[in-house]
Amino acid sequence: MNYQETCHWLFAQLPMFQREGQAAYKANLDNTLRLDEHFRHPHRQFRSIHVAGTNGKGSVSHMLASILQEAGYKTGLYTSPHLKDFRERIKVNGEMISEEYVIEFVEQNRDFFATLHPSFFEMTVAMAFKYFADREVDIAVIEVGLGGRLDSTNIITPLASVITNISFDHMALLGDTLDKIATEKAGIIKPHVPVIVGTRDRNYDFVFEEKARACEASLTFASEEWKTLKNDDGSYTLDKRNSISFDTLECELKGGYQRKNIPTVIETVLSLQNSGLAIREEHIRNGIGKVIRNTGLHGRWEKLADSPFTICDTGHNLDGLTEVVAQLRSCSYRHLHFVIGMVNDKDVSSVLRILPQDATYYFCKASIPRAMSEETLAEKARECGLQGATYPTVSEAYAAARRNAAPQDMIYIGGSTFVVAEII
């Protein structure tokens, strides 16, 4: 098989949560442990950092990887989902895994997969861990796919366990209350491994405190340790309580919500320094300032055009889109054109209620099985006071927005990672 045929086989033969939803979720680590044994425990051959959370874990993972690269470490990065190419999920020093490695991994292990029937995610995690071991990385940043406790990545014992925040998402799988969701995320906390939580919240922080205490692990809430100010020029000033500070810290990721992620990243770096990693202030500054160039991250408040001003963002749940709406209010434009598509297993109505009612909407359907039909989305939107037309594809919706938008207008594209993936 060539690379495209290999990817087609992966997507067609193995359930993938990002495409199919709950049916692809495995509520145990049995297959992961058998895969790990089959590949002779590759995750034991490199150090790692584990990153979980509802929102922000992708940005935090990429910033940490960028900082480690700047510090001279050969750095693996595992994230999900991908936007355009499967290989985006597995990188070393910002370079994607080769097509040849993906092909050989599948071909050499296809018979074993046929007997085990692993999920897409289980197999992809195994591929990432083996690739990092084969490439002899110094350290890998491993992003949790879903939840934490039963996630396929949760066989590692990292240098630090990072949990960005907790909000409502994937409730059918993770629980319908914040403390239940937090319990799943807290599953990545390991004995004696430092824990960094991005946001302290009295609705669920007791879950992390109890788990950290049971594991005899130190626990730090970054939001309590750091005061963060976004300056008029877009840079950040951060002051740690009774300690160090950063003035005019530049971040290549322009979303205002990064003000919550950057303290989490820096607090994690301080923990890594305590573990013996040689990371200096210049590595932190350069890593955050060049995160896109170093890692290839896309889709976080990413500018696609100047006229009309066009932005896309992968924020897709209530908390994520609340941040997006707040940033939209700070933008200058005559009229807002909003290209939106969503998936079936989200709390769509809650999200639609917070979106600006004076925008023109272009309701569309991404080309994945989980995508909500544009007609259903438009109907739910009308119940929330939002008006617009329907389009069968993302590209048609975007083309219509560009036709209708004046140069002084703004176009926003989002609602789902998969909508953004089809635009970028």
Side-chain angles (χ1 to χ4, degrees), residues 35-311:
L35 285 162
D36 184 53
E37 183 177 6
H38 175 74
F39 291 113
R40 297 184 176 87
H41 315 292
H43 71 278
R44 298 178 185 174
Q45 299 178 40
F46 53 86
R47 294 172 290 184
S48 59
I49 305 162
H50 211 183
V51 184
T54 304
N55 294 305
K57 63 182 183 290
S59 295
V60 167
S61 295
H62 283 79
M63 281 190 272
L64 286 170
S66 182
I67 290 168
L68 290 165
Q69 288 172 226
E70 289 288 333
Y73 291 100
K74 190 174 186 179
T75 305
L77 176 61
Y78 176 78
T79 58
S80 62
H82 62 272
L83 291 179
K84 299 298 291 183
D85 187 334
F86 167 81
R87 298 181 301 138
E88 296 168 28
R89 296 168 178 258
I90 304 170
K91 298 178 180 178
V92 172
N93 282 358
E95 293 188 8
M96 294 188 292
I97 185 173
S98 70
E99 294 182 357
E100 291 74 20
Y101 192 97
V102 175
I103 295 168
E104 290 176 7
F105 180 86
V106 171
E107 289 184 343
Q108 292 174 5
N109 299 283
R110 195 167 173 178
D111 291 343
F112 179 70
F113 297 150
T115 62
L116 186 62
H117 302 294
S119 71
F120 174 90
F121 194 78
E122 289 165 342
M123 190 206 60
T124 306
V125 170
M127 184 191 300
F129 288 177
K130 186 175 187 303
Y131 183 66
F132 295 153
D134 289 346
R135 289 291 309 274
E136 298 181 337
V137 301
D138 298 313
I139 189 166
V141 181
I142 308 297
E143 180 191 353
V144 167
L146 178 65
R149 181 175 64 94
L150 298 174
D151 188 76
S152 295
T153 63
N154 200 29
I155 60 173
I156 61 176
T157 300
L159 296 179
S161 300
V162 185
I163 303 171
T164 56
N165 58 39
I166 302 297
S167 62
F168 289 110
D169 204 3
H170 304 303
M171 291 178 287
L173 300 175
L174 303 182
D176 57 1
T177 65
L178 290 175
D179 60 302
K180 288 180 182 178
I181 296 172
T183 298
E184 293 300 315
K185 309 287 186 185
I188 72 166
I189 297 175
K190 306 292 195 312
H192 312 293
V193 174
V195 183
I196 298 90
V197 176
T199 304
R200 185 172 190 111
D201 190 311
R202 301 298 179 183
N203 291 306
Y204 56 74
D205 55 16
F206 65 92
V207 173
F208 301 131
E209 291 169 339
E210 291 173 2
K211 183 63 184 289
R213 190 160 48 246
C215 289
E216 299 181 353
S218 64
L219 173 63
T220 306
F221 291 94
S223 61
E224 286 198 329
E225 295 295 317
W226 292 88
K227 180 180 178 181
T228 307
L229 174 67
K230 189 170 186 181
N231 304 315
D232 292 340
D233 62 359
S235 67
Y236 293 87
T237 296
L238 296 97
D239 293 292
K240 183 173 170 64
R241 187 170 54 181
N242 303 321
S243 186
I244 61 176
S245 64
F246 290 85
D247 295 321
T248 60
L249 181 69
E250 299 283 349
C251 181
E252 202 169 17
L253 302 172
K254 298 307 180 185
Y257 46 79
Q258 300 300 346
R259 71 187 183 281
K260 297 181 179 179
N261 293 328
I262 293 172
T264 308
V265 169
I266 297 178
E267 192 63 36
T268 303
V269 169
L270 297 182
S271 177
L272 296 175
Q273 289 173 333
N274 291 335
S275 297
L277 270 65
I279 305 173
R280 301 192 299 273
E281 179 178 339
E282 66 190 87
H283 303 143
I284 297 173
R285 287 186 174 275
N286 291 338
I288 294 175
K290 297 193 293 186
V291 58
I292 295 175
R293 283 168 282 177
N294 282 347
T295 69
L297 177 62
H298 290 286
R300 273 63 170 183
W301 197 261
E302 182 171 350
K303 184 174 71 171
L304 302 180
D306 287 310
S307 180
F309 183 51
T310 304
I311 291 288

Side-chain angles (χ1 to χ4, degrees), residues 293-367:
R293 283 168 282 177
N294 282 347
T295 69
L297 177 62
H298 290 286
R300 273 63 170 183
W301 197 261
E302 182 171 350
K303 184 174 71 171
L304 302 180
D306 287 310
S307 180
F309 183 51
T310 304
I311 291 288
C312 68
D313 192 276
T314 55
H316 57 273
N317 53 35
L318 183 59
D319 274 21
L321 281 163
T322 297
E323 292 285 349
V324 164
V325 170
Q327 189 149 358
L328 285 171
R329 292 196 188 102
S330 70
C331 297
S332 298
Y333 51 81
R334 190 195 68 169
H335 185 70
L336 177 63
H337 301 261
F338 205 119
V339 177
I340 184 171
M342 301 192 76
V343 293
N344 279 312
D345 52 2
K346 298 293 181 185
D347 184 9
V348 172
S349 295
S350 294
V351 169
L352 293 172
R353 290 190 195 101
I354 68 167
L355 300 184
Q357 295 200 352
D358 57 352
T360 299
Y361 286 84
Y362 302 76
F363 303 105
C364 58
K365 179 181 182 295
S367 57

Side-chain angles (χ1 to χ4, degrees), residues 4-41:
Q4 293 303 325
E5 290 168 339
T6 302
C7 287
H8 178 75
W9 183 86
L10 292 174
F11 298 146
Q13 300 299 321
L14 303 174
M16 181 169 73
F17 175 80
Q18 282 83 0
R19 291 178 58 84
E20 299 180 13
Q22 188 170 352
Y25 183 65
K26 297 284 188 70
N28 60 67
L29 294 176
D30 294 349
N31 281 356
T32 298
L33 293 170
R34 289 187 62 189
L35 285 162
D36 184 53
E37 183 177 6
H38 175 74
F39 291 113
R40 297 184 176 87
H41 315 292

Side-chain angles (χ1 to χ4, degrees), residues 339-342 362-368 371-378 389-400 403 418-419 422:
V339 177
I340 184 171
M342 301 192 76
Y362 302 76
F363 303 105
C364 58
K365 179 181 182 295
S367 57
I368 62 164
M372 179 175 288
S373 76
E374 66 275 20
E375 292 88 357
T376 301
L377 180 58
T390 59
Y391 302 86
T393 67
V394 176
S395 60
E396 290 176 75
Y398 181 39
R403 285 195 304 270
F418 306 102
V419 170
E422 292 187 30

